[in-house]
Amino acid sequence: MKGQTQAVTAVLITTVMIGAIATAYVWGGPLLQKGQAEADLDQVENEVRTLYENIEQVSESGSGAAETLTLDLDTGGSGETRIDINEDENYIDIVTESGDIPYPRETWTVIEGQNLQNLSIVEEENSGDYGISGQDSKGVVAVRPIGEGSENIVTYRIEFRNMLSQTPDGTKLEKVDIRARDSATETGTVQTVVSNEGQEYDSESDMTLSTGESIERERTVVEIDLR
């Protein structure tokens, strides 16, 4: 009788253990995947913020200033993460895939910087001609996911805009002007050299605001070398 009791007890313990393992597999697997997806997206976002801060710092450090950083954009997911430099619109996009997103889909969310003035993410007729120096940030970091469920394409955008400032000589526009040295697109782990190439100027005859007013603009050229 004692032997039978021990056998039954062993069977019960084994059954409970198998049930616990099965439950952990069923519920724990998706949780682990979700946690990894969040970690991967956080990694990319941190790299984007670091690049933005690097560009801002170099732009303020004078001609010849340069910084080198390695962007680890290889999250190990199913799709490649890439960086694209758009010189015409003066922004940098970092595009990745994610199964879990903390941001609303189909819309831009600013995660660093203030104000939407003079940005490409705003409809042109509502974007304005400039931000205000001392009040708004020189640029912003924004994010826009597209997709549904566990399949999303997430675009992070670093963008710099016209800034209106008052000087002893009067009012002028200033801008951090993004340039690509050679390649404008890279994927995976990218060594990035950010350098201040000095100032270039647009005369009043070259710069006309939506109000019809003409104004001088000083551009700090920041070159991005992707390797």
Side-chain angles (χ1 to χ4, degrees), residues 15-52:
T15 302
V16 171
M17 290 179 62
I18 292 174
I21 292 171
T23 300
Y25 179 81
V26 171
W27 294 103
L31 289 175
L32 288 173
Q33 291 176 352
K34 181 179 180 181
Q36 186 60 52
E38 291 175 348
D40 289 344
L41 192 63
D42 284 344
Q43 174 186 315
V44 173
E45 184 168 310
N46 288 337
E47 297 292 328
V48 173
R49 289 179 185 270
T50 299
L51 178 58
Y52 170 76

PDB file of all heavy atoms in Angstrom, residues 15-52:
ATOM      1  N   THR A  15       3.199  15.162 -13.061  1.00  0.00           N
ATOM      2  CA  THR A  15       2.134  15.834 -13.821  1.00  0.00           C
ATOM      3  C   THR A  15       2.145  17.331 -13.563  1.00  0.00           C
ATOM      4  O   THR A  15       2.011  18.147 -14.492  1.00  0.00           O
ATOM      5  CB  THR A  15       0.758  15.248 -13.438  1.00  0.00           C
ATOM      6  OG1 THR A  15       0.760  13.846 -13.697  1.00  0.00           O
ATOM      7  CG2 THR A  15      -0.341  15.919 -14.239  1.00  0.00           C
ATOM      8  N   VAL A  16       2.299  17.703 -12.282  1.00  0.00           N
ATOM      9  CA  VAL A  16       2.337  19.124 -11.925  1.00  0.00           C
ATOM     10  C   VAL A  16       3.530  19.811 -12.580  1.00  0.00           C
ATOM     11  O   VAL A  16       3.426  20.923 -13.113  1.00  0.00           O
ATOM     12  CB  VAL A  16       2.389  19.299 -10.388  1.00  0.00           C
ATOM     13  CG1 VAL A  16       2.662  20.763 -10.033  1.00  0.00           C
ATOM     14  CG2 VAL A  16       1.085  18.852  -9.762  1.00  0.00           C
ATOM     15  N   MET A  17       4.687  19.141 -12.558  1.00  0.00           N
ATOM     16  CA  MET A  17       5.888  19.722 -13.160  1.00  0.00           C
ATOM     17  C   MET A  17       5.726  19.903 -14.657  1.00  0.00           C
ATOM     18  O   MET A  17       6.090  20.936 -15.221  1.00  0.00           O
ATOM     19  CB  MET A  17       7.099  18.830 -12.868  1.00  0.00           C
ATOM     20  CG  MET A  17       7.544  18.832 -11.408  1.00  0.00           C
ATOM     21  SD  MET A  17       8.951  17.740 -11.116  1.00  0.00           S
ATOM     22  CE  MET A  17      10.186  18.524 -12.157  1.00  0.00           C
ATOM     23  N   ILE A  18       5.158  18.901 -15.309  1.00  0.00           N
ATOM     24  CA  ILE A  18       4.942  18.998 -16.758  1.00  0.00           C
ATOM     25  C   ILE A  18       3.974  20.133 -17.073  1.00  0.00           C
ATOM     26  O   ILE A  18       4.168  20.917 -18.011  1.00  0.00           O
ATOM     27  CB  ILE A  18       4.403  17.664 -17.317  1.00  0.00           C
ATOM     28  CG1 ILE A  18       5.492  16.575 -17.231  1.00  0.00           C
ATOM     29  CG2 ILE A  18       3.932  17.829 -18.761  1.00  0.00           C
ATOM     30  CD1 ILE A  18       5.014  15.203 -17.615  1.00  0.00           C
ATOM     31  N   GLY A  19       2.912  20.249 -16.241  1.00  0.00           N
ATOM     32  CA  GLY A  19       1.942  21.333 -16.440  1.00  0.00           C
ATOM     33  C   GLY A  19       2.578  22.696 -16.254  1.00  0.00           C
ATOM     34  O   GLY A  19       2.311  23.638 -17.015  1.00  0.00           O
ATOM     35  N   ALA A  20       3.440  22.809 -15.236  1.00  0.00           N
ATOM     36  CA  ALA A  20       4.104  24.088 -14.980  1.00  0.00           C
ATOM     37  C   ALA A  20       5.033  24.464 -16.123  1.00  0.00           C
ATOM     38  O   ALA A  20       5.090  25.621 -16.554  1.00  0.00           O
ATOM     39  CB  ALA A  20       4.892  24.006 -13.668  1.00  0.00           C
ATOM     40  N   ILE A  21       5.772  23.465 -16.628  1.00  0.00           N
ATOM     41  CA  ILE A  21       6.687  23.718 -17.746  1.00  0.00           C
ATOM     42  C   ILE A  21       5.915  24.131 -18.994  1.00  0.00           C
ATOM     43  O   ILE A  21       6.288  25.064 -19.706  1.00  0.00           O
ATOM     44  CB  ILE A  21       7.541  22.472 -18.023  1.00  0.00           C
ATOM     45  CG1 ILE A  21       8.504  22.225 -16.853  1.00  0.00           C
ATOM     46  CG2 ILE A  21       8.327  22.636 -19.328  1.00  0.00           C
ATOM     47  CD1 ILE A  21       9.233  20.907 -16.938  1.00  0.00           C
ATOM     48  N   ALA A  22       4.802  23.428 -19.236  1.00  0.00           N
ATOM     49  CA  ALA A  22       3.981  23.754 -20.411  1.00  0.00           C
ATOM     50  C   ALA A  22       3.410  25.165 -20.303  1.00  0.00           C
ATOM     51  O   ALA A  22       3.390  25.917 -21.276  1.00  0.00           O
ATOM     52  CB  ALA A  22       2.850  22.735 -20.557  1.00  0.00           C
ATOM     53  N   THR A  23       2.954  25.530 -19.104  1.00  0.00           N
ATOM     54  CA  THR A  23       2.401  26.862 -18.890  1.00  0.00           C
ATOM     55  C   THR A  23       3.463  27.930 -19.108  1.00  0.00           C
ATOM     56  O   THR A  23       3.215  28.959 -19.749  1.00  0.00           O
ATOM     57  CB  THR A  23       1.830  26.992 -17.463  1.00  0.00           C
ATOM     58  OG1 THR A  23       0.800  26.017 -17.288  1.00  0.00           O
ATOM     59  CG2 THR A  23       1.267  28.383 -17.230  1.00  0.00           C
ATOM     60  N   ALA A  24       4.659  27.669 -18.568  1.00  0.00           N
ATOM     61  CA  ALA A  24       5.753  28.626 -18.746  1.00  0.00           C
ATOM     62  C   ALA A  24       6.102  28.781 -20.215  1.00  0.00           C
ATOM     63  O   ALA A  24       6.401  29.882 -20.687  1.00  0.00           O
ATOM     64  CB  ALA A  24       6.973  28.160 -17.955  1.00  0.00           C
ATOM     65  N   TYR A  25       6.058  27.680 -20.967  1.00  0.00           N
ATOM     66  CA  TYR A  25       6.385  27.728 -22.388  1.00  0.00           C
ATOM     67  C   TYR A  25       5.339  28.522 -23.163  1.00  0.00           C
ATOM     68  O   TYR A  25       5.657  29.356 -24.004  1.00  0.00           O
ATOM     69  CB  TYR A  25       6.482  26.311 -22.941  1.00  0.00           C
ATOM     70  CG  TYR A  25       6.803  26.254 -24.410  1.00  0.00           C
ATOM     71  CD1 TYR A  25       8.123  26.393 -24.858  1.00  0.00           C
ATOM     72  CD2 TYR A  25       5.791  26.064 -25.351  1.00  0.00           C
ATOM     73  CE1 TYR A  25       8.414  26.347 -26.210  1.00  0.00           C
ATOM     74  CE2 TYR A  25       6.086  26.027 -26.705  1.00  0.00           C
ATOM     75  CZ  TYR A  25       7.396  26.163 -27.127  1.00  0.00           C
ATOM     76  OH  TYR A  25       7.678  26.119 -28.465  1.00  0.00           O
ATOM     77  N   VAL A  26       4.068  28.255 -22.850  1.00  0.00           N
ATOM     78  CA  VAL A  26       2.971  28.904 -23.577  1.00  0.00           C
ATOM     79  C   VAL A  26       2.928  30.395 -23.293  1.00  0.00           C
ATOM     80  O   VAL A  26       2.781  31.220 -24.188  1.00  0.00           O
ATOM     81  CB  VAL A  26       1.619  28.245 -23.221  1.00  0.00           C
ATOM     82  CG1 VAL A  26       0.455  29.059 -23.795  1.00  0.00           C
ATOM     83  CG2 VAL A  26       1.571  26.814 -23.751  1.00  0.00           C
ATOM     84  N   TRP A  27       3.044  30.762 -22.000  1.00  0.00           N
ATOM     85  CA  TRP A  27       2.913  32.164 -21.622  1.00  0.00           C
ATOM     86  C   TRP A  27       4.248  32.901 -21.575  1.00  0.00           C
ATOM     87  O   TRP A  27       4.314  34.097 -21.833  1.00  0.00           O
ATOM     88  CB  TRP A  27       2.235  32.271 -20.249  1.00  0.00           C
ATOM     89  CG  TRP A  27       0.826  31.791 -20.274  1.00  0.00           C
ATOM     90  CD1 TRP A  27       0.329  30.601 -19.823  1.00  0.00           C
ATOM     91  CD2 TRP A  27      -0.302  32.490 -20.810  1.00  0.00           C
ATOM     92  NE1 TRP A  27      -1.024  30.518 -20.048  1.00  0.00           N
ATOM     93  CE2 TRP A  27      -1.448  31.671 -20.646  1.00  0.00           C
ATOM     94  CE3 TRP A  27      -0.464  33.748 -21.413  1.00  0.00           C
ATOM     95  CZ2 TRP A  27      -2.709  32.056 -21.050  1.00  0.00           C
ATOM     96  CZ3 TRP A  27      -1.737  34.135 -21.817  1.00  0.00           C
ATOM     97  CH2 TRP A  27      -2.835  33.286 -21.641  1.00  0.00           C
ATOM     98  N   GLY A  28       5.291  32.183 -21.211  1.00  0.00           N
ATOM     99  CA  GLY A  28       6.586  32.837 -21.080  1.00  0.00           C
ATOM    100  C   GLY A  28       7.245  33.156 -22.397  1.00  0.00           C
ATOM    101  O   GLY A  28       7.928  34.174 -22.526  1.00  0.00           O
ATOM    102  N   GLY A  29       7.034  32.303 -23.422  1.00  0.00           N
ATOM    103  CA  GLY A  29       7.643  32.536 -24.727  1.00  0.00           C
ATOM    104  C   GLY A  29       7.278  33.889 -25.315  1.00  0.00           C
ATOM    105  O   GLY A  29       8.162  34.688 -25.650  1.00  0.00           O
ATOM    106  N   PRO A  30       5.987  34.188 -25.446  1.00  0.00           N
ATOM    107  CA  PRO A  30       5.597  35.495 -25.982  1.00  0.00           C
ATOM    108  C   PRO A  30       6.105  36.660 -25.140  1.00  0.00           C
ATOM    109  O   PRO A  30       6.464  37.710 -25.682  1.00  0.00           O
ATOM    110  CB  PRO A  30       4.057  35.424 -25.966  1.00  0.00           C
ATOM    111  CG  PRO A  30       3.753  33.968 -26.056  1.00  0.00           C
ATOM    112  CD  PRO A  30       4.834  33.292 -25.267  1.00  0.00           C
ATOM    113  N   LEU A  31       6.132  36.495 -23.815  1.00  0.00           N
ATOM    114  CA  LEU A  31       6.621  37.569 -22.954  1.00  0.00           C
ATOM    115  C   LEU A  31       8.099  37.831 -23.197  1.00  0.00           C
ATOM    116  O   LEU A  31       8.545  38.980 -23.234  1.00  0.00           O
ATOM    117  CB  LEU A  31       6.374  37.222 -21.480  1.00  0.00           C
ATOM    118  CG  LEU A  31       4.920  37.257 -21.016  1.00  0.00           C
ATOM    119  CD1 LEU A  31       4.810  36.776 -19.571  1.00  0.00           C
ATOM    120  CD2 LEU A  31       4.350  38.672 -21.153  1.00  0.00           C
ATOM    121  N   LEU A  32       8.859  36.751 -23.373  1.00  0.00           N
ATOM    122  CA  LEU A  32      10.282  36.906 -23.658  1.00  0.00           C
ATOM    123  C   LEU A  32      10.495  37.594 -25.003  1.00  0.00           C
ATOM    124  O   LEU A  32      11.365  38.450 -25.157  1.00  0.00           O
ATOM    125  CB  LEU A  32      10.973  35.539 -23.647  1.00  0.00           C
ATOM    126  CG  LEU A  32      11.160  34.879 -22.275  1.00  0.00           C
ATOM    127  CD1 LEU A  32      11.703  33.471 -22.440  1.00  0.00           C
ATOM    128  CD2 LEU A  32      12.100  35.713 -21.404  1.00  0.00           C
ATOM    129  N   GLN A  33       9.690  37.196 -26.003  1.00  0.00           N
ATOM    130  CA  GLN A  33       9.797  37.816 -27.321  1.00  0.00           C
ATOM    131  C   GLN A  33       9.452  39.302 -27.251  1.00  0.00           C
ATOM    132  O   GLN A  33      10.119  40.133 -27.869  1.00  0.00           O
ATOM    133  CB  GLN A  33       8.872  37.097 -28.306  1.00  0.00           C
ATOM    134  CG  GLN A  33       9.331  35.678 -28.633  1.00  0.00           C
ATOM    135  CD  GLN A  33       8.342  34.956 -29.532  1.00  0.00           C
ATOM    136  OE1 GLN A  33       7.248  35.447 -29.796  1.00  0.00           O
ATOM    137  NE2 GLN A  33       8.729  33.782 -30.013  1.00  0.00           N
ATOM    138  N   LYS A  34       8.409  39.624 -26.482  1.00  0.00           N
ATOM    139  CA  LYS A  34       8.013  41.020 -26.327  1.00  0.00           C
ATOM    140  C   LYS A  34       9.109  41.814 -25.647  1.00  0.00           C
ATOM    141  O   LYS A  34       9.440  42.933 -26.053  1.00  0.00           O
ATOM    142  CB  LYS A  34       6.721  41.111 -25.516  1.00  0.00           C
ATOM    143  CG  LYS A  34       6.224  42.547 -25.315  1.00  0.00           C
ATOM    144  CD  LYS A  34       4.924  42.571 -24.529  1.00  0.00           C
ATOM    145  CE  LYS A  34       4.441  44.005 -24.322  1.00  0.00           C
ATOM    146  NZ  LYS A  34       3.181  44.068 -23.538  1.00  0.00           N
ATOM    147  N   GLY A  35       9.697  41.214 -24.605  1.00  0.00           N
ATOM    148  CA  GLY A  35      10.774  41.893 -23.902  1.00  0.00           C
ATOM    149  C   GLY A  35      11.969  42.139 -24.794  1.00  0.00           C
ATOM    150  O   GLY A  35      12.592  43.208 -24.741  1.00  0.00           O
ATOM    151  N   GLN A  36      12.301  41.181 -25.664  1.00  0.00           N
ATOM    152  CA  GLN A  36      13.422  41.347 -26.584  1.00  0.00           C
ATOM    153  C   GLN A  36      13.125  42.421 -27.615  1.00  0.00           C
ATOM    154  O   GLN A  36      14.004  43.215 -27.982  1.00  0.00           O
ATOM    155  CB  GLN A  36      13.730  40.017 -27.281  1.00  0.00           C
ATOM    156  CG  GLN A  36      14.974  40.063 -28.161  1.00  0.00           C
ATOM    157  CD  GLN A  36      16.215  40.405 -27.375  1.00  0.00           C
ATOM    158  OE1 GLN A  36      16.504  39.776 -26.357  1.00  0.00           O
ATOM    159  NE2 GLN A  36      16.940  41.423 -27.819  1.00  0.00           N
ATOM    160  N   ALA A  37      11.869  42.460 -28.105  1.00  0.00           N
ATOM    161  CA  ALA A  37      11.479  43.482 -29.081  1.00  0.00           C
ATOM    162  C   ALA A  37      11.605  44.880 -28.477  1.00  0.00           C
ATOM    163  O   ALA A  37      12.083  45.810 -29.129  1.00  0.00           O
ATOM    164  CB  ALA A  37      10.047  43.238 -29.558  1.00  0.00           C
ATOM    165  N   GLU A  38      11.184  45.029 -27.224  1.00  0.00           N
ATOM    166  CA  GLU A  38      11.307  46.318 -26.542  1.00  0.00           C
ATOM    167  C   GLU A  38      12.766  46.711 -26.372  1.00  0.00           C
ATOM    168  O   GLU A  38      13.141  47.871 -26.574  1.00  0.00           O
ATOM    169  CB  GLU A  38      10.613  46.256 -25.181  1.00  0.00           C
ATOM    170  CG  GLU A  38       9.094  46.159 -25.263  1.00  0.00           C
ATOM    171  CD  GLU A  38       8.454  45.981 -23.897  1.00  0.00           C
ATOM    172  OE1 GLU A  38       9.193  45.709 -22.920  1.00  0.00           O
ATOM    173  OE2 GLU A  38       7.222  46.124 -23.800  1.00  0.00           O
ATOM    174  N   ALA A  39      13.600  45.739 -26.007  1.00  0.00           N
ATOM    175  CA  ALA A  39      15.030  46.009 -25.815  1.00  0.00           C
ATOM    176  C   ALA A  39      15.689  46.419 -27.130  1.00  0.00           C
ATOM    177  O   ALA A  39      16.514  47.341 -27.163  1.00  0.00           O
ATOM    178  CB  ALA A  39      15.719  44.779 -25.228  1.00  0.00           C
ATOM    179  N   ASP A  40      15.317  45.744 -28.232  1.00  0.00           N
ATOM    180  CA  ASP A  40      15.881  46.068 -29.543  1.00  0.00           C
ATOM    181  C   ASP A  40      15.505  47.489 -29.958  1.00  0.00           C
ATOM    182  O   ASP A  40      16.344  48.254 -30.466  1.00  0.00           O
ATOM    183  CB  ASP A  40      15.392  45.079 -30.598  1.00  0.00           C
ATOM    184  CG  ASP A  40      16.014  43.694 -30.426  1.00  0.00           C
ATOM    185  OD1 ASP A  40      17.020  43.580 -29.706  1.00  0.00           O
ATOM    186  OD2 ASP A  40      15.474  42.730 -31.003  1.00  0.00           O
ATOM    187  N   LEU A  41      14.238  47.850 -29.754  1.00  0.00           N
ATOM    188  CA  LEU A  41      13.781  49.191 -30.136  1.00  0.00           C
ATOM    189  C   LEU A  41      14.443  50.248 -29.253  1.00  0.00           C
ATOM    190  O   LEU A  41      14.833  51.320 -29.737  1.00  0.00           O
ATOM    191  CB  LEU A  41      12.255  49.286 -30.033  1.00  0.00           C
ATOM    192  CG  LEU A  41      11.633  50.538 -30.680  1.00  0.00           C
ATOM    193  CD1 LEU A  41      11.890  50.543 -32.180  1.00  0.00           C
ATOM    194  CD2 LEU A  41      10.130  50.595 -30.409  1.00  0.00           C
ATOM    195  N   ASP A  42      14.579  49.949 -27.965  1.00  0.00           N
ATOM    196  CA  ASP A  42      15.260  50.880 -27.059  1.00  0.00           C
ATOM    197  C   ASP A  42      16.701  51.110 -27.506  1.00  0.00           C
ATOM    198  O   ASP A  42      17.216  52.233 -27.431  1.00  0.00           O
ATOM    199  CB  ASP A  42      15.252  50.340 -25.625  1.00  0.00           C
ATOM    200  CG  ASP A  42      13.894  50.491 -24.947  1.00  0.00           C
ATOM    201  OD1 ASP A  42      13.062  51.273 -25.461  1.00  0.00           O
ATOM    202  OD2 ASP A  42      13.670  49.846 -23.912  1.00  0.00           O
ATOM    203  N   GLN A  43      17.342  50.041 -27.966  1.00  0.00           N
ATOM    204  CA  GLN A  43      18.723  50.164 -28.428  1.00  0.00           C
ATOM    205  C   GLN A  43      18.821  51.121 -29.602  1.00  0.00           C
ATOM    206  O   GLN A  43      19.674  52.022 -29.619  1.00  0.00           O
ATOM    207  CB  GLN A  43      19.269  48.797 -28.830  1.00  0.00           C
ATOM    208  CG  GLN A  43      20.673  48.849 -29.457  1.00  0.00           C
ATOM    209  CD  GLN A  43      21.116  47.498 -29.982  1.00  0.00           C
ATOM    210  OE1 GLN A  43      20.956  46.489 -29.307  1.00  0.00           O
ATOM    211  NE2 GLN A  43      21.676  47.487 -31.182  1.00  0.00           N
ATOM    212  N   VAL A  44      17.945  50.937 -30.591  1.00  0.00           N
ATOM    213  CA  VAL A  44      17.963  51.812 -31.760  1.00  0.00           C
ATOM    214  C   VAL A  44      17.663  53.247 -31.348  1.00  0.00           C
ATOM    215  O   VAL A  44      18.326  54.193 -31.792  1.00  0.00           O
ATOM    216  CB  VAL A  44      16.956  51.330 -32.825  1.00  0.00           C
ATOM    217  CG1 VAL A  44      16.844  52.340 -33.966  1.00  0.00           C
ATOM    218  CG2 VAL A  44      17.358  49.965 -33.372  1.00  0.00           C
ATOM    219  N   GLU A  45      16.659  53.434 -30.489  1.00  0.00           N
ATOM    220  CA  GLU A  45      16.276  54.782 -30.058  1.00  0.00           C
ATOM    221  C   GLU A  45      17.423  55.470 -29.332  1.00  0.00           C
ATOM    222  O   GLU A  45      17.672  56.666 -29.537  1.00  0.00           O
ATOM    223  CB  GLU A  45      15.045  54.719 -29.162  1.00  0.00           C
ATOM    224  CG  GLU A  45      14.531  56.099 -28.769  1.00  0.00           C
ATOM    225  CD  GLU A  45      13.148  56.039 -28.126  1.00  0.00           C
ATOM    226  OE1 GLU A  45      12.256  55.395 -28.708  1.00  0.00           O
ATOM    227  OE2 GLU A  45      12.977  56.640 -27.055  1.00  0.00           O
ATOM    228  N   ASN A  46      18.131  54.749 -28.488  1.00  0.00           N
ATOM    229  CA  ASN A  46      19.273  55.335 -27.780  1.00  0.00           C
ATOM    230  C   ASN A  46      20.361  55.757 -28.760  1.00  0.00           C
ATOM    231  O   ASN A  46      20.997  56.808 -28.584  1.00  0.00           O
ATOM    232  CB  ASN A  46      19.836  54.336 -26.772  1.00  0.00           C
ATOM    233  CG  ASN A  46      18.938  54.144 -25.566  1.00  0.00           C
ATOM    234  OD1 ASN A  46      18.130  55.013 -25.229  1.00  0.00           O
ATOM    235  ND2 ASN A  46      19.048  53.000 -24.913  1.00  0.00           N
ATOM    236  N   GLU A  47      20.583  54.958 -29.812  1.00  0.00           N
ATOM    237  CA  GLU A  47      21.579  55.313 -30.812  1.00  0.00           C
ATOM    238  C   GLU A  47      21.160  56.577 -31.574  1.00  0.00           C
ATOM    239  O   GLU A  47      21.992  57.440 -31.883  1.00  0.00           O
ATOM    240  CB  GLU A  47      21.771  54.153 -31.802  1.00  0.00           C
ATOM    241  CG  GLU A  47      22.301  52.864 -31.197  1.00  0.00           C
ATOM    242  CD  GLU A  47      23.735  52.975 -30.722  1.00  0.00           C
ATOM    243  OE1 GLU A  47      24.513  53.731 -31.321  1.00  0.00           O
ATOM    244  OE2 GLU A  47      24.080  52.314 -29.726  1.00  0.00           O
ATOM    245  N   VAL A  48      19.859  56.699 -31.864  1.00  0.00           N
ATOM    246  CA  VAL A  48      19.343  57.879 -32.555  1.00  0.00           C
ATOM    247  C   VAL A  48      19.545  59.128 -31.699  1.00  0.00           C
ATOM    248  O   VAL A  48      20.013  60.170 -32.184  1.00  0.00           O
ATOM    249  CB  VAL A  48      17.851  57.700 -32.901  1.00  0.00           C
ATOM    250  CG1 VAL A  48      17.277  58.996 -33.452  1.00  0.00           C
ATOM    251  CG2 VAL A  48      17.660  56.569 -33.913  1.00  0.00           C
ATOM    252  N   ARG A  49      19.196  59.046 -30.429  1.00  0.00           N
ATOM    253  CA  ARG A  49      19.370  60.190 -29.527  1.00  0.00           C
ATOM    254  C   ARG A  49      20.848  60.585 -29.425  1.00  0.00           C
ATOM    255  O   ARG A  49      21.189  61.775 -29.399  1.00  0.00           O
ATOM    256  CB  ARG A  49      18.820  59.850 -28.139  1.00  0.00           C
ATOM    257  CG  ARG A  49      17.297  59.748 -28.058  1.00  0.00           C
ATOM    258  CD  ARG A  49      16.879  59.380 -26.645  1.00  0.00           C
ATOM    259  NE  ARG A  49      15.462  59.148 -26.499  1.00  0.00           N
ATOM    260  CZ  ARG A  49      14.569  60.093 -26.188  1.00  0.00           C
ATOM    261  NH1 ARG A  49      14.978  61.337 -26.011  1.00  0.00           N
ATOM    262  NH2 ARG A  49      13.288  59.793 -26.050  1.00  0.00           N
ATOM    263  N   THR A  50      21.719  59.590 -29.350  1.00  0.00           N
ATOM    264  CA  THR A  50      23.157  59.869 -29.253  1.00  0.00           C
ATOM    265  C   THR A  50      23.656  60.597 -30.497  1.00  0.00           C
ATOM    266  O   THR A  50      24.439  61.554 -30.401  1.00  0.00           O
ATOM    267  CB  THR A  50      23.950  58.559 -29.068  1.00  0.00           C
ATOM    268  OG1 THR A  50      23.538  57.927 -27.851  1.00  0.00           O
ATOM    269  CG2 THR A  50      25.441  58.831 -29.006  1.00  0.00           C
ATOM    270  N   LEU A  51      23.209  60.160 -31.671  1.00  0.00           N
ATOM    271  CA  LEU A  51      23.612  60.821 -32.918  1.00  0.00           C
ATOM    272  C   LEU A  51      23.119  62.256 -32.943  1.00  0.00           C
ATOM    273  O   LEU A  51      23.862  63.182 -33.324  1.00  0.00           O
ATOM    274  CB  LEU A  51      23.073  60.045 -34.120  1.00  0.00           C
ATOM    275  CG  LEU A  51      23.367  60.648 -35.500  1.00  0.00           C
ATOM    276  CD1 LEU A  51      24.868  60.804 -35.719  1.00  0.00           C
ATOM    277  CD2 LEU A  51      22.743  59.794 -36.601  1.00  0.00           C
ATOM    278  N   TYR A  52      21.883  62.485 -32.543  1.00  0.00           N
ATOM    279  CA  TYR A  52      21.314  63.843 -32.509  1.00  0.00           C
ATOM    280  C   TYR A  52      22.145  64.751 -31.598  1.00  0.00           C
ATOM    281  O   TYR A  52      22.520  65.872 -31.978  1.00  0.00           O
ATOM    282  CB  TYR A  52      19.867  63.782 -32.023  1.00  0.00           C
ATOM    283  CG  TYR A  52      19.260  65.139 -31.720  1.00  0.00           C
ATOM    284  CD1 TYR A  52      18.847  65.984 -32.742  1.00  0.00           C
ATOM    285  CD2 TYR A  52      19.094  65.568 -30.405  1.00  0.00           C
ATOM    286  CE1 TYR A  52      18.291  67.224 -32.465  1.00  0.00           C
ATOM    287  CE2 TYR A  52      18.534  66.806 -30.117  1.00  0.00           C
ATOM    288  CZ  TYR A  52      18.136  67.631 -31.151  1.00  0.00           C
ATOM    289  OH  TYR A  52      17.596  68.863 -30.867  1.00  0.00           O
TER     290      TYR A  52
END
